[in-house]
Amino acid sequence: LCAAVLLKDMKLLDVKLGQLPSWLAMRDFTPGGIVGAIRRGYDRYYNKYINVRKGGLGGISMVLAGYVVVSYIWSFSHIKHDRHRKYH
């Protein structure tokens, strides 16, 4: 039996490109909704990579890689102006 899933209950990966605008219109973009989405994402990450019986370096290395990327983006304008330029 194939049950029809409502568009608002679909995950982003299951949404077709033509349905994307109406799916985005159904999302909750209030501050509480955004905080809830961040919390759900953190909980999924924590339960998948950190809160496991036999953990590895995967979860922590992803956090460190994300930190490196974000810190580079934040300091890019400063790095760009401090570059040594070749004078000729």
Side-chain angles (χ1 to χ4, degrees), residues 67-86:
Y67 172 73
V68 167
V69 168
V70 168
S71 65
Y72 180 76
I73 290 170
W74 282 340
S75 62
F76 180 75
S77 62
H78 180 71
I79 293 170
K80 183 173 68 172
H81 293 301
D82 286 347
R83 253 189 274 173
H84 296 291
R85 289 182 172 72
K86 189 174 181 180

Side-chain angles (χ1 to χ4, degrees), residues 5-39:
V5 178
L6 294 175
L7 185 61
K8 71 174 195 160
D9 295 332
M10 292 177 83
K11 294 180 182 177
L12 177 60
L13 292 175
D14 297 332
V15 175
K16 302 226 183 310
L17 195 56
Q19 299 170 327
L20 190 60
S22 57
W23 183 83
L24 283 173
M26 293 182 197
R27 299 294 101 196
D28 184 15
F29 289 107
T30 61
I34 293 171
V35 168
I38 292 171
R39 185 177 309 248

